[in-house]
Amino acid sequence: MDLRIFTEPQQGAAYDTLLAVAKATEDLGFDAFFRSDHYLRMGAVDGLPGPTDAWITLAGLARETKRIRLGTLMTAGTFRLPGVLAIQVAQVDQMSGGRVELGLGAGWFEEEHKAYGIPFPKEKFARLEEQLEIVTGLWATDPGKTFDFHGTYYDLTESPALPKPAQRKIPVLVGGHGPSRTPRLAAKYADEFNMPFASVEDSERQFGRVREAAKEAGRDGHELTYSNALVVCVGRDDAEVARRAAAIGREVDELKLNGLAGSPSEVVDKIGRYAEAGSSRIYLQVLDLDDLDHLELISAQVQSQLS
């Protein structure tokens, strides 16, 4: 079971804070550092000092880390034109020496679009499908050849399809709860399917849908990596769990129900249930980015038991 650290910087985090978390992620043996792609805080937080851009952040971290994978859960398809996104991600992949992964979603948070003047189109899912085809198609085009795409929302003519990533193929993540269109997109374009903030039972059901969609698409569904994203709150004792829950404005019982919370042994046991459902990778949503002791505890007493 791979454990990855997943951050939500729109809730309030400067680049230096994210760098400290990324370096701790690397030093403590976690597999990857991922971040959300949002421009507006959610809930009862001030979000200070303000939003940071996902791909600018990852570009900086690419030069200041050496081993960990770097990526997004999920880049909003509404934020960037697909041709521009393909260039940005390929460049960051080069800067990292081939350690980047792209999670790409349709975009959903209308308020952040209004706040920063970003168009929020009605047909987001259909646009996402074209975006996935364009981004993956640009990267897959052989050097010296050109890429053309003529769709409903995007039109590319004789693109040189440059630059190329450092990796032969940048892993693409698709995720979500949708019962039909989401599994179909994952089966066609994804290397990994991510089930965000879902129960073991719902995850197992959705993983099955993706495997079935892959079979219908003529692909072995076992080729995909299946993963979950879950909030994490671990403590050596009940008091420490309660303190960490209070720091992120959550209740312990709710966290235990909907995430990975409690003692290290409780969290290891619950991760085991997700593994039985087909998950081989967990994105640990860490909401208090100043609590690096939390990461140390997870590394020493959770990750060590899963190795």
Side-chain angles (χ1 to χ4, degrees):
M1 176 68 72
D2 293 334
L3 295 186
R4 295 181 160 190
I5 301 303
F6 169 43
T7 63
E8 301 271 8
Q10 77 279 354
Q11 300 301 88
Y15 174 76
D16 285 346
T17 300
L18 297 174
L19 175 60
V21 174
K23 287 188 171 181
T25 297
E26 185 156 89
D27 293 343
L28 294 170
F30 294 104
D31 183 59
F33 173 95
F34 270 59
R35 59 156 292 163
S36 60
D37 192 2
H38 287 294
Y39 293 130
L40 196 66
R41 64 174 175 79
M42 303 172 196
V45 297
D46 58 26
L48 296 176
T52 51
D53 182 85
W55 286 101
I56 291 177
T57 297
L58 295 176
L61 298 179
R63 306 302 293 175
E64 299 195 73
T65 57
K66 299 183 183 303
R67 177 189 59 81
I68 50 173
R69 307 289 294 178
L70 301 166
T72 51
L73 281 182
M74 299 281 185
T75 282
T78 48
F79 287 173
R80 301 166 182 86
L81 296 171
V84 174
L85 179 63
I87 291 170
Q88 291 172 325
V89 178
Q91 183 179 6
V92 178
D93 194 52
Q94 291 175 357
M95 294 167 71
S96 72
R99 294 183 284 124
V100 159
E101 304 184 11
L102 171 64
L104 185 58
W108 61 271
F109 189 22
E110 186 173 6
E111 286 80 1
E112 68 187 333
H113 295 74
K114 292 178 178 177
Y116 287 96
I118 303 168
F120 191 68
K122 181 178 179 180
E123 297 297 332
K124 292 181 290 297
F125 201 91
R127 289 173 181 269
L128 173 62
E129 184 161 12
E130 290 194 8
Q131 290 164 340
L132 285 163
E133 185 170 350
I134 291 166
V135 170
T136 57
L138 287 167
W139 291 338
T141 300
D142 291 333
K145 296 185 178 181
T146 59
F147 176 82
D148 288 80
F149 179 86
H150 307 292
T152 302
Y153 306 102
Y154 305 103
D155 198 285
L156 287 75
T157 301
E158 295 186 3
S159 171
L162 297 172
K164 296 301 181 193
Q167 299 175 83
R168 183 187 63 82
K169 185 180 190 307
I170 290 179
V172 172
L173 290 74
V174 170
H177 297 253
S180 55
R181 293 193 299 176
T182 297
R184 178 178 58 80
L185 275 192
K188 187 172 183 179
Y189 295 106
D191 301 283
E192 178 177 336
F193 179 79
N194 179 262
M195 190 63 168
F197 312 112
S199 68
V200 172
E201 295 75 19
D202 287 345
S203 298
E204 186 172 25
R205 189 177 303 113
Q206 187 73 330
F207 293 161
R209 292 186 184 119
V210 174
R211 283 192 291 270
E212 184 61 31
K215 182 179 179 181
E216 292 174 1
R219 182 181 180 189
D220 183 355
H222 297 287
E223 292 178 0
L224 281 82
T225 296
Y226 297 88
S227 64
N228 288 89
L230 294 160
V231 64
V232 66
C233 180
V234 186
R236 295 172 182 84
D237 53 36
D238 290 346
E240 191 168 73
V241 175
R243 175 176 62 79
R244 289 198 162 112
I248 60 174
R250 305 278 285 270
E251 297 293 330
V252 172
D253 288 346
E254 179 269 321
L255 288 169
K256 288 187 175 185
L257 178 65
N258 297 314
L260 299 172
S263 68
S265 61
E266 286 181 285
V267 170
V268 168
D269 287 346
K270 190 163 185 183
I271 289 174
R273 292 173 56 201
Y274 280 96
E276 291 172 359
S279 184
S280 63
R281 180 173 291 158
I282 302 289
Y283 293 83
L284 302 173
Q285 186 196 43
V286 177
L287 295 176
D288 185 353
L289 299 182
D290 295 315
D291 186 3
L292 298 183
D293 289 342
H294 193 196
L295 300 187
E296 292 180 8
L297 175 63
I298 296 168
S299 173
Q301 297 192 32
V302 176
Q303 181 171 240
S304 61
Q305 297 187 57
L306 300 171
S307 305

